[in-house]
Amino acid sequence: MTQSTDIDLELRQMTPWVRASFRLTSERHTLDHLTAEFGVAGARSWQRGETEGDSLQRRSHGWCVELPEQRTYALDDALSQLLTMLAPKRDDIVAAIRSLELDAHVGLHVRVTGDRVPACYWSPANIRTLALYGASLEADIAVTPAP
């Protein structure tokens, strides 16, 4: 029994980590007012020129909401959760994108161990929803060696 539990634990630990985010960016407009306007929990904003990390300087103003990192092999699940969280404010977000000429971006940031790569599949419903926002979609994968 202990042996199978160890295998199960190892498999869970090798499952990829996925963090989904939705960003709005602008070269011309500050976006800090969107945090209160949209009222999306956990949203944050930044200004052009601010630094992130050690030396990365922001090239645009921005607003972002990010889901906590989760273990999954299905990137579409993380995308669905993000879009579901934004759904109650979708019309307001789309109106802001159009009126302020904002750029919308969805990012799926993936950390994998060894060759445990998740499925890069996105459902037609999620692609249609991304199209409503006019959002780009990126999936970046960082690989760490297997233990």
Side-chain angles (χ1 to χ4, degrees):
M1 185 71 164
T2 304
Q3 192 173 21
S4 68
T5 304
D6 291 343
I7 291 170
D8 291 341
L9 176 63
E10 184 177 318
L11 287 174
R12 278 193 306 277
Q13 290 174 342
M14 303 233 355
T15 302
W17 284 99
V18 178
R19 182 174 31 90
S21 64
F22 180 84
R23 294 182 322 275
L24 298 176
T25 60
S26 175
E27 296 289 325
R28 298 176 293 186
H29 307 285
T30 60
L31 303 178
D32 51 336
H33 66 283
L34 297 180
T35 304
E37 187 175 320
F38 296 154
V40 177
R44 60 186 173 85
S45 63
W46 63 86
Q47 306 304 318
R48 180 178 31 216
E50 288 181 9
T51 57
E52 179 183 30
D54 293 335
S55 62
L56 180 64
Q57 192 172 38
R58 301 270 190 188
R59 290 189 260 169
S60 61
H61 305 292
W63 176 87
C64 177
V65 64
E66 210 170 60
L67 291 180
E69 220 174 21
Q70 60 180 292
R71 287 189 182 273
T72 183
Y73 277 100
L75 295 183
D76 195 56
D77 289 349
L79 179 58
S80 290
Q81 290 173 13
L82 179 67
L83 295 174
T84 298
M85 185 176 82
L86 295 171
K89 298 296 182 176
R90 183 176 56 215
D91 292 342
D92 295 335
I93 293 170
V94 169
I97 290 168
R98 290 182 180 152
S99 67
L100 298 174
E101 298 177 348
L102 304 177
D103 294 318
H105 315 274
V106 170
L108 298 168
H109 312 284
V110 184
R111 289 188 299 133
V112 299
T113 302
D115 60 356
R116 308 286 186 186
V117 180
C120 292
Y121 164 82
W122 295 285
S123 67
N126 284 342
I127 296 299
R128 282 192 297 275
T129 303
L130 286 176
L132 291 173
Y133 290 105
S136 65
L137 174 63
E138 72 168 317
D140 64 310
I141 300 175
V143 180
T144 56

